[in-house]
Amino acid sequence: MKRLVLCSIFAIQLSCVGGVGPARRAKLADPMMQFSEDSLETHRKQKLESTREGAAGGDGAAAGGGCACQ
Amino acid sequence: MPSVKRSLVLFVLVFVTTTLLVLTGSAVVRAEMAPISDEAILGRREPIVLESLLARYTYFAQDGSGYQSKAGPPGGPGSEWLHVHEPQVEVVFRQGDRIRHRLWLPIDIVTAASPVTKPDAVSAASRYNQAVALDWTTSYRATRAVTLSLREGVHVERMFRSYVLGLSASFASENEDRTFTVGVSQTNDWFDVYDVTGRRHGHANRSTSGVSFALSQVLSPTTIGELNYGLTVQAGELGNTWGGVPTNTGDRDSESYPGRRLRHALVGRLAQFLPWNGAARVFGRFYDDTYGIVAFTMELELLQRLSRAIYVRASYRAHVQSGATFYTTRTTPGTSPATADSDLQELGARTLGAKIAFDIPTGNTFLGARTTHLDVAYERYFRTNDLHVDVISCAVGFRF
């Protein structure tokens, strides 16, 4: 419950942030500011973590089978 | 009773999400109905335009030991030696000004120690296992603010088939500094069942249903944040079926899993541009599931631009998780559920990594590409329960 409240507060904080116009977003467009530089690299990382850690999945990424590398 | 309650909650969530997606789609269509024409729906008629082409090769070299592996003494841990070669190709192309396609083709070539050991559970089939997948995502920019995406994928291995279908909708705010995304996905796996002694027992299947919500927000001209919650429910055969558990009689029994698993994950991300032409990215994740696993993950990445075309990255990741309630290294024969899979054990994991990337402007002179991308990365992953993985990856890509 405590975690839920904290998450809600964070979400409300996010929703209260003022707008940043397109002209002021040059730095945000840098590839270094992307959470994932490319989707193939994201897959590479998720593959290692999802096959080696029982706590993978649950975050929108596939948590199914694939790869018989148990 | 709690599982019934959880299933009900999941059903309501999936129902609400699907309804939202359908209502959004119909609202968009209604808004665009006058005058209705192909061009009004699909955008301007234009030939298919190639946006980018990317190829990546990754080599995973794993070593360590775990009690589920048969490549060891009776009752003791066996080798988890494993090598994977993984080439991947991604093609992104545009069909008009509203529709965008992404085709992704990964191939896995796996060599593992455990299946090689006699009695060989899966014979030569998994000694050298090849897997190929094809994944196609189509995004439709319905309005300036709304983008709908449909994803279909198929994964094929010698003894394994998997199909995935996903649907998502993204809603951007008027000034495009806030995006809310909701998505649902369904994965069905169908595979051969082998027990720990190598006998085949027909087929089994597994269903994975997921729903996720993500909110990304531009926080300042140099900061962006994202919050993501995902819920996944799995049902069916949740193990690989041939994994073993040492027994207190000195033998090895087949591992077995509960028939259902519910997973929650909450992820927060933050990227901050730094005054010295660098960037810092922070990632945090909390995870909880019905196996009794609770996990926390933190990751920090520091990036530094060396020139307009080159940047480097250093990364550190820490992960801790509690073990599954039915994890054991010594079970009584016939006990269910029971697993000795070291991935489900209480563990800590660290990853150290480095990468150098080049984005070279080629001004349409090389294969007609505006930019050529090259990168090389290395990562070392190591766990507290005797396992480490070396990862080498390199990529070449073109933006047109």
Side-chain angles (χ1 to χ4, degrees):
Chain A
M1 192 60 194
K2 197 175 168 184
R3 289 184 192 119
L4 193 68
V5 171
L6 284 172
C7 293
S8 306
I9 291 169
F10 184 66
I12 292 164
Q13 287 284 336
L14 278 181
S15 68
C16 294
V17 173
V20 176
R24 298 168 63 208
R25 292 186 198 167
K27 291 186 170 63
L28 299 177
D30 192 302
M32 296 191 301
M33 289 295 286
Q34 307 299 310
F35 290 120
S36 162
E37 287 143 70
D38 72 69
S39 54
L40 303 190
E41 187 173 46
T42 304
H43 168 75
R44 169 187 72 77
K45 288 187 74 177
Q46 283 177 346
K47 181 183 183 66
L48 174 67
E49 290 151 16
S50 64
T51 53
R52 291 289 67 99
E53 291 166 2
D59 47 2
C67 180
C69 42
Q70 294 272 344
Chain B
M1 196 61 188
S3 65
V4 174
K5 199 174 164 188
R6 284 193 192 103
S7 300
L8 194 66
V9 170
L10 183 76
F11 174 78
V12 170
L13 270 170
V14 171
F15 179 78
V16 168
T17 309
T18 311
T19 309
L20 261 173
L21 289 171
V22 170
L23 286 177
T24 307
S26 62
V28 166
V29 169
R30 272 201 305 276
E32 306 251 337
M33 274 186 75
I36 189 159
S37 66
D38 289 354
E39 199 164 288
I41 297 168
L42 301 174
R44 285 195 313 274
R45 255 182 210 279
E46 281 178 10
I48 287 173
V49 177
L50 188 61
E51 271 193 3
S52 66
L53 178 66
L54 182 64
R56 177 173 290 282
Y57 166 77
T58 306
Y59 173 63
F60 301 85
Q62 172 183 296
D63 207 355
S65 62
Y67 282 87
Q68 84 277 26
S69 169
K70 298 188 299 298
S79 171
E80 289 202 62
W81 179 90
L82 177 141
H83 283 199
V84 182
H85 298 270
E86 186 187 61
Q88 304 177 66
V89 178
E90 181 196 61
V91 184
V92 178
F93 56 96
R94 215 174 51 238
Q95 186 184 356
D97 57 354
R98 292 193 179 208
I99 298 174
R100 196 163 172 262
H101 301 276
R102 173 186 180 258
L103 276 172
W104 171 50
L105 180 83
I107 296 171
D108 289 331
I109 301 160
V110 183
T111 311
S114 179
V116 176
T117 311
K118 290 179 179 176
D120 184 352
V122 278
S123 187
S126 75
R127 193 175 302 172
Y128 302 105
N129 188 21
Q130 297 91 28
V132 62
L134 181 64
D135 193 290
W136 183 1
T137 304
T138 302
S139 302
Y140 171 59
R141 196 170 55 81
T143 68
R144 199 176 160 207
V146 179
T147 302
L148 306 171
S149 296
L150 175 69
R151 178 187 168 213
E152 312 98 49
V154 58
H155 175 108
V156 179
E157 286 179 39
R158 287 193 186 192
M159 312 156 295
F160 189 99
R161 304 285 182 272
S162 182
Y163 309 94
V164 62
L165 186 67
L167 192 62
S168 71
S170 289
F171 309 86
S173 61
E174 198 175 339
N175 59 359
E176 295 181 344
D177 63 357
R178 183 179 309 141
T179 307
F180 176 69
T181 304
V182 55
V184 289
S185 70
Q186 173 64 39
T187 306
N188 287 335
D189 303 333
W190 187 77
F191 47 97
D192 288 354
V193 174
Y194 288 89
D195 66 20
V196 73
T197 62
R199 288 193 192 90
R200 187 172 169 276
H201 301 276
H203 301 292
N205 57 67
R206 174 190 307 146
S207 162
T208 304
S209 312
V211 55
S212 65
F213 305 91
L215 176 69
S216 70
Q217 170 76 52
V218 173
L219 299 166
S220 80
T222 57
T223 318
I224 187 162
E226 185 182 278
L227 201 59
N228 182 316
Y229 168 74
L231 176 69
T232 304
V233 64
Q234 292 186 284
E237 173 54 63
L238 302 187
N240 65 13
T241 73
W242 66 77
V245 189
T247 64
N248 49 21
T249 57
D251 207 356
R252 196 175 279 274
D253 208 359
S254 287
E255 63 179 2
S256 64
Y257 288 84
R260 184 179 291 265
R261 187 181 190 185
L262 192 66
R263 308 166 128 178
H264 304 269
L266 183 66
V267 173
R269 293 185 179 91
L270 201 67
Q272 173 66 51
F273 197 87
L274 302 171
W276 47 88
N277 222 4
R281 298 196 296 231
V282 184
F283 168 94
R285 180 174 187 263
F286 169 75
Y287 172 91
D288 181 44
D289 73 15
T290 50
Y291 279 10
I293 298 177
V294 177
F296 295 96
T297 309
M298 286 294 292
E299 186 168 355
L300 175 66
E301 294 180 316
L302 292 173
L303 300 99
Q304 180 61 52
R305 190 164 282 289
L306 302 179
S307 74
R308 284 185 70 178
I310 307 172
Y311 68 87
V312 290
R313 185 187 77 197
S315 59
Y316 173 75
R317 176 179 180 272
H319 170 85
V320 287
Q321 70 176 51
S322 60
T325 49
F326 52 94
Y327 174 83
T328 177
T329 56
R330 196 75 63 189
T331 188
T332 305
T335 304
S336 181
T339 182
D341 189 339
S342 60
D343 304 336
L344 297 175
Q345 191 180 0
E346 181 176 351
L347 61 88
R350 305 279 181 273
T351 310
L352 284 169
K355 175 181 171 180
I356 181 163
F358 303 84
D359 286 306
I360 306 158
T362 41
N364 302 330
T365 55
F366 185 68
L367 299 173
R370 280 188 297 114
T371 315
T372 299
H373 174 86
L374 298 166
D375 73 57
V376 181
Y378 169 76
E379 269 181 13
R380 170 90 170 171
Y381 173 87
F382 45 102
R383 285 198 330 212
T384 50
N385 59 347
D386 189 21
L387 187 116
H388 62 265
V389 186
D390 289 298
V391 184
I392 298 166
S393 187
C394 56
V396 57
F398 306 99
R399 277 195 182 283
F400 299 93

